[in-house]
Each structure stands twice: as structure tokens, then as C-alpha cells.
Amino acid sequence: MQRRMRILDSIAKPTDLHVLSVAELGILASEIRAQIIDTTSKTGGHVASSLGAVDIIVALHSLLDAPKDKIVFDVGHQSYAHKLVTGRADVFDTLRSYDGISGFPRPSESVYDTHPSGHASDSLSVASGLAKAKQLNGTDERIVAVIGDAALAGGMAFEALNYIGSQQLPMVIVLNDNEMSISRNVGALMKHFGNIRATSQYRDAREQLQEMLEGGGRTSNAFAEFGKRAKESMKQMFLPQSMIYEQLGIVCTPPIDGNDIGVLREMLELVLPVNGPVLIHAVTKKGAGYGPAEEQAERFHGVGPYNPATGTPLSQGGPAKTATQVFSEALVREASADGRIVAITAAMEGGTGLKAFRSAFPERFIDVGIAEEQAVAMASGLAIAGKKPVVAIYSTFMQRAIDQMAVDVALPNLDVVFALDRAGLVGDDGPTHHGVFDLVYLRMLPNMKVIVPSSEQRLSDAVHTALRLNGPVAIRYPRGSAEHDDYDDAIAPELLEVGASRTLREGDDAAILAFGRMVSRSLAAAELLAADGISARVVDMTWAKPLDEEAIRAAAATRLVVTVEEGVVAGGVGEGVLEVLSRLDSKTRAITLGIPDSFVLQGKSELLLHDLGLDAEGIAAAVREGIA
């Protein structure tokens, strides 16, 4: 049976939405949700956040003239509807796939993507630059930033709000208030939003707004009139909790239904002409329009393939344990024996495996929200007070707290453990989420020790070891299912010797010094080389800092030294090995394998590793060339 023609099929560019009625826009929104569910059930993706933002995006594009007018998304995983109405509907089935379209805005992919949004709380800063340029140039484009309530609690967002209000920048901020980040939001600001939604004054202000809209007001003067009429209700609503945005010089609307396109359009028509900053408080439902995502918003924040009828995940096969789960079990075991251990995360309790810790030790679990700088600096205070803080954050997000790691932790040489999940290539989320820079920013810090376990059992050993060392220690481990069968939670963890590697295979022609999950691939490469008559030693280096200089000295006795790391080569651990070889005055040829000086796009990790020459075949080919 032939599929009926959808409105979505007729949308070639976002201005095509201008001719649609509110009812037709509602139908389009339903079609977009159906397409998101159909596609992500096969590809996986950020489902709940994108479903919740559909109506906001449809309403915006029905009034804006993109790409002249600019939409800046915060994080960007809420932008699937934006992709569908900006000429990418016919390739949407390639979402997050190798050689497909990104799961985040990407300017190189479309002129409608203003900014490569991938990390939270930066949209207001980027949009403020666009709005300032508008002021300087005297142009008339409209600037809109879409930011979630969790991202708005980030320090960078507050820095931007302060500047936007002080300069009265002409821009609209759409606050997508869905009460969620990756995990449920925490903090005083989140309570503030909740209090606003619960007040009778909120309902009164909404009724006044509706009366104003029904009166036909469509100009900045009409908006000013609405402001006067709602002023007292606004004061009652925000005070004594504080009229935080008004105090910063930003007009803030009362909360409106962010999943009602008609209400959104009417509000946007009022505020877009205003020559100053306005914040629209849009209350949305994360996962709106899809029952499983509404009921399990945290799980549907980012999922793999699933059954669209039920929302249940499709089996991915492979071992049951992931590195994250092994870390979780190891930390709970250690905390059971040591009451000084405290776990800290930044709005990713589930993603970092800390749910079990929170369940076992709720009083020792801390979620600071999307505020990595706060997490690290707070850990320093806890360490000063005699606690043993473990900061569990994704590698790519830990980049946001490098200064705190340096000044607040490394400089005073405090006992803080950094657990960097998702280190290396993360696959489908692409360049904003690959954890490929941590070996550089960790190794450059004095006093920092860095463990790179090659297996799940070694990860368990690393957690055990890190909590017994003096000074800061970082452990980096990859995303996804375990690749080894050596882990047994019944086996007592071992204390790793600082800076000591282990030789897993002997060889005289070449020495492969491997880090992390590159060890298993290096062993496979050695098997391929053996078939060619090349004898390759494989060393599990284990420590990126300090390096095992004796192992490097021994490697220099072969014809070729090859380092293999799942991180950038520039400034990486391979360059650290070259430094040691230089001090040894070694004449042995050396090759560093890793991520080249370019950003890596999305795709399954194994495909990306193959392209980068970091699989067994690529490593073997590099060795063959090196000793030829």
C-alpha cells in the first residue's frame, strides 16, 4: 500500500513552514515525531530531548527566515526536528552513522546549522556574539538561543546572561524547561523553576497572557503593554525567590506550554520585534508524543536501537559487562571498606555508573548538575578536609574543568581520583563527544598520575590502586561492552605498581607499546605480523604517566618502536615515549600511532579505528612499513 503524502515530504527548506496553518504545523510536528522514532529505533540517538523540542523548533521556523535569522542550540541533541525541516529529511535515516549526518548541528553539513553545539551552557555566549555583531553592523537578522533548564544552571550560561542583560542585546532566549538533563536536574535553580510552575500566580499570569494574545497584540508596544499588565503577577511569582532574569535586565515571560505550537507562535510574534533581550519560559515534556520516552526520559536521553512499538532495547550481543559497570562495582566495593570515599558527578549519574553508589551511599553521593568546574573544585575542598573524592565525568566534558584540575587539585597535590568515562572514540555522537584529548591535558599537569587499563580486570585494579595513592590520579576507560573475559567481580583487585608496564608478547623485530584498548588490537596485529615472519613484542603500558622508562629502553633494542594510543598524537603519550627515547639517545626508529590532527566524525568505533589505522590491520601495516 502506498504511503500517504506527508506534509514533511513537501518541506524543502524551513521557510516552507511559513504558509502552513497552526493546525497544519501541528500535523507536521506529529509527522516529525513519527520520523524521529522510526529512525532512532534503528540508529539510536537522543530521543527524549528531541521529541520534547519538536514544537519549539516548528514554531520558530514557522516565523524565522533562516539562514538569515539564526538559531543557536545548546548541546544540540534536541535538534533532530531542525534537521528534518532544513533539507535533510531524505538523508535522516543516516543519522549518527558512518558517512551520514551528525546527531548534532554541524555548520559544514548545512547553512542552517549556526554552531557545532555539543557541550552544554555555551549557546547564550555564542548567541550573544551574534547579537553584538547585529548591533555593530546595524542589521536586522533575528537571533534566538534555545537552551534547556539544566544547561541554564551552568556557570557559562550565567556569565552570558550577565553580559546580555548589561548590554541589552537584541535576542530571544527560549528556555526549554523539561526538568531534565541526562539525569533529573538538581540544585537551587531547578527548585526555583519548580516553585514557579507550582504557584497560583503562574496560572494567573498565563491567563493574563492569553487575554493579551486574544486581543490581537502583535507588536513590541503590545508586548510592553503585556509587561505592564503582568508585572505584579511576575513579581509575586518570582519573589521572594528572586526575579533573577529581571534583575539581570532580561524581560522574562511567565511559563507557557512549550508543546503547544499555537501558544509558542503567539508569544514569539510578541517578543521577536523587541529591541532587547527576552526570555521565553517554555515548559515542555521530555519525550513528548512517545509514551516510552515520556515514562523513561533518562533512559531515552541517549539510547541504542529499540523496538519502536514498546521502547524496549534491541539486543546488541556481546558481553554483559561494560567498563562503566566494572567501574561502578569497583567503586562500591572500595567505598564499602572506606567511609572517606565520596563520589561526584555532573548531571550524569546514570551514564557514569554511579546509580549503584548513590543507592548504597546516598549521603556520600554528589551531583552538582552541569557544572564540571564546580565538581572538580568541590573535590579539592573535600580532599583538603580528609575525604577521598572520586570525580566521574565523561572525558570530553572533563575538558571544561582543566583549570580547576591544574590549580585546585594538581598544584596542591590533593588526593582526588578522576574517572574519565567514554575515553577514546565514542562512535555515533561524533567530534564533540570523542574523548581524544584527555591524555594530553592530563599528562601536562604536574603531580598527576594517569592509568590506562587495557581490560576490565585491570580497570578494577586501577580503581583499587588510585584510591591508595597520594596526589591526583586519573583513570581513563572506553565506552561500550567489555572486550575481554578476564573480569570476575569475585577476584580481589591487585595493587598496580606505579609506572610499571607488563609485556604480553615477546618479539625482537619491533616493539609495540600500547595503551588501553589498543592493547588487544596490538596483540592481534602481532599475530598478523608473525604470519609474515615478523616478531613483534607487545607491551601493555598501563600508565600514561609516569611512563615505564625501562620498558621503553628495552623496546629501543629492537629495530622499531611503535606507540599506539586512542588519543590525539599531538602532545599525546606517544610523544612522551619519543621524549624518553631522545633522552636515551636512541637511534631506533619510532612511529606514533593515534588520532591525527583533525576532528573525527561520527560512526561505529570499529569503522573509525579502521580508517585511522588503529585496528589490527592498520597497526600491522605500520610495523611492516617501519621495518621495511
Side-chain angles (χ1 to χ4, degrees):
M1 184 174 67
Q2 188 175 10
R3 188 186 72 178
R4 69 171 181 84
M5 181 66 176
R6 304 178 301 175
I7 295 176
L8 180 58
D9 297 325
S10 67
I11 304 299
K13 56 188 182 301
T15 51
D16 291 341
L17 275 64
H18 292 183
V19 300
L20 299 180
S21 67
V22 171
E24 290 169 329
L25 291 171
I27 296 171
L28 174 63
S30 296
E31 293 174 350
I32 288 172
R33 284 190 168 91
Q35 184 64 67
I36 290 173
I37 294 165
D38 180 68
T39 297
T40 58
S41 68
K42 303 179 183 71
T43 66
H46 293 90
V47 181
S49 53
S50 276
L51 291 175
V54 167
D55 305 296
I56 290 174
I57 293 169
V58 168
L60 283 170
H61 277 305
S62 72
L63 296 172
L64 296 177
D65 182 17
K68 176 186 174 183
D69 296 334
K70 309 296 184 186
I71 302 175
V72 181
F73 290 100
D74 205 281
V75 181
H77 55 237
Q78 59 188 316
S79 64
Y80 292 176
H82 166 76
K83 287 179 177 279
L84 283 165
V85 299
T86 53
R88 286 167 278 185
D90 59 339
V91 293
F92 193 69
D93 61 346
T94 70
L95 182 73
R96 304 172 76 244
S97 63
Y98 184 72
D99 281 341
I101 63 172
S102 172
F104 298 85
R106 184 193 297 162
S108 62
E109 183 180 287
S110 172
V111 296
Y112 297 106
D113 291 358
T114 305
H115 174 252
S117 313
H119 289 184
S121 306
D122 65 352
S123 63
L124 300 187
S125 296
V126 174
S128 70
L130 292 166
K132 186 63 177 179
K134 172 183 174 178
Q135 276 188 338
L136 294 171
N137 297 334
T139 48
D140 63 352
E141 69 272 17
R142 292 170 289 186
I143 310 300
V144 178
V146 181
I147 183 169
D149 51 325
L152 193 62
M156 188 176 179
F158 272 97
E159 293 172 16
L161 286 170
N162 182 53
Y163 184 78
I164 290 165
S166 69
Q167 299 298 305
Q168 287 297 290
L169 297 181
M171 58 184 287
V172 173
I173 302 166
V174 179
L175 170 59
N176 179 11
D177 177 7
N178 60 27
E179 305 179 76
M180 289 284 289
S181 50
I182 295 177
S183 300
R184 186 157 296 278
N185 292 333
V186 297
L189 188 61
M190 300 307 108
K191 292 180 181 178
H192 176 66
F193 289 144
N195 291 339
I196 291 172
R197 289 188 292 267
T199 60
S200 60
Q201 287 82 9
Y202 157 41
R203 294 187 293 274
D204 292 342
R206 284 192 62 180
E207 290 173 4
Q208 290 181 11
L209 171 63
Q210 188 60 39
E211 291 174 7
M212 186 65 212
L213 294 175
E214 291 172 354
R218 291 293 183 272
T219 68
S220 57
N221 290 334
F223 184 75
E225 175 62 22
F226 160 70
K228 287 191 292 184
R229 292 173 60 178
K231 186 175 181 180
E232 290 307 311
S233 291
M234 291 288 289
K235 284 183 177 179
Q236 294 174 36
M237 187 189 330
F238 283 89
L239 294 173
Q241 299 141 328
S242 87
M243 292 174 59
I244 184 170
Y245 304 113
E246 298 286 343
Q247 290 172 347
L248 290 171
I250 299 169
V251 175
C252 181
T253 75
I256 64 172
D257 187 346
N259 292 125
D260 186 319
I261 292 174
V263 169
L264 285 163
R265 275 176 51 89
E266 290 169 331
M267 180 60 80
L268 285 165
E269 287 177 320
L270 284 174
V271 306
L272 283 171
V274 175
N275 188 29
V278 180
L279 184 146
I280 297 176
H281 187 166
V283 179
T284 63
K285 178 75 172 177
K286 198 165 187 179
Y290 183 46
E294 290 183 9
E295 295 166 7
Q296 304 174 69
E298 182 174 348
R299 184 172 76 81
F300 272 91
H301 171 81
V303 295
Y306 58 94
N307 183 329
T310 63
T312 54
L314 300 180
S315 174
Q316 297 298 296
K321 297 282 185 178
T322 65
T324 303
Q325 290 170 326
V326 171
F327 162 75
S328 173
E329 292 175 2
L331 186 60
V332 169
R333 180 187 62 240
E334 298 294 334
S336 298
D338 189 341
R340 295 172 296 170
I341 295 174
V342 177
I344 308 174
T345 192
M348 50 189 72
E349 170 194 340
T352 57
L354 291 182
K355 281 192 171 183
F357 187 98
R358 179 179 185 177
S359 178
F361 314 105
E363 73 286 353
R364 288 193 269 156
F365 170 78
I366 300 169
D367 186 345
V368 299
I370 300 178
E372 289 82 2
E373 301 95 325
Q374 162 68 10
V376 175
M378 184 179 186
S380 74
L382 286 162
I384 290 169
K387 299 298 182 183
K388 288 187 174 181
V390 177
V391 183
I393 296 176
Y394 295 177
S395 167
T396 184
F397 298 144
M398 192 68 85
Q399 294 164 194
R400 298 153 64 91
I402 293 173
D403 185 63
Q404 288 71 28
M405 296 176 79
V407 176
D408 297 324
V409 177
L411 177 60
N413 200 27
L414 296 175
D415 298 345
V416 177
V417 174
F418 297 99
L420 275 64
D421 202 321
R422 271 67 166 175
L425 298 175
V426 298
D428 303 332
D429 285 337
T432 58
H433 283 58
H434 292 315
V436 296
F437 303 112
D438 55 78
L439 285 172
V440 179
Y441 67 71
L442 291 170
R443 290 187 65 254
M444 73 180 184
L445 297 175
N447 295 325
M448 182 70 73
K449 299 179 183 68
V450 186
I451 311 176
V452 190
S454 60
S455 70
E456 284 61 48
Q457 188 61 49
R458 295 287 275 184
L459 172 56
S460 177
D461 296 340
V463 174
H464 180 71
T465 302
L467 286 164
R468 285 158 178 79
L469 296 177
N470 295 323
V473 184
I475 310 168
R476 75 183 308 258
Y477 46 94
R479 177 186 189 179
S481 297
E483 299 181 357
H484 309 83
D485 58 5
D486 68 337
Y487 176 67
D488 184 344
D489 57 9
I491 297 176
E494 296 181 6
L495 194 65
L496 302 175
E497 180 183 350
V498 176
S501 66
R502 57 175 182 166
T503 300
L504 302 180
R505 182 183 179 119
E506 293 291 350
D508 299 322
D509 293 324
I512 304 175
L513 309 182
F515 297 84
R517 66 173 175 174
M518 293 297 97
V519 170
S520 62
R521 289 155 180 81
S522 297
L523 286 168
E527 290 289 341
L528 296 176
L529 292 167
D532 297 334
I534 299 172
S535 172
R537 180 184 311 168
V538 177
V539 181
D540 175 0
M541 293 298 288
T542 306
W543 296 82
K545 187 182 182 184
L547 288 166
D548 187 341
E549 296 199 7
E550 286 305 312
I552 297 171
R553 184 190 301 274
T558 67
R559 297 164 56 192
L560 175 70
V561 176
V562 180
T563 66
V564 192
E565 61 191 296
E566 197 176 357
V568 294
V569 171
V573 68
E575 290 193 355
V577 172
L578 294 182
E579 178 191 350
V580 174
L581 290 171
S582 177
R583 282 194 279 107
L584 294 173
D585 198 25
S586 170
K587 301 298 187 291
T588 304
R589 185 180 182 192
I591 300 172
T592 58
L593 300 181
I595 310 296
D597 191 23
S598 61
F599 288 100
V600 180
L601 300 183
Q602 77 281 349
K604 298 302 180 187
S605 292
E606 289 305 319
L607 290 172
L608 299 178
L609 290 171
H610 176 74
D611 281 354
L612 295 166
L614 295 177
D615 59 358
E617 291 76 13
I619 296 168
V623 172
R624 292 189 195 100
E625 181 179 349
I627 63 175

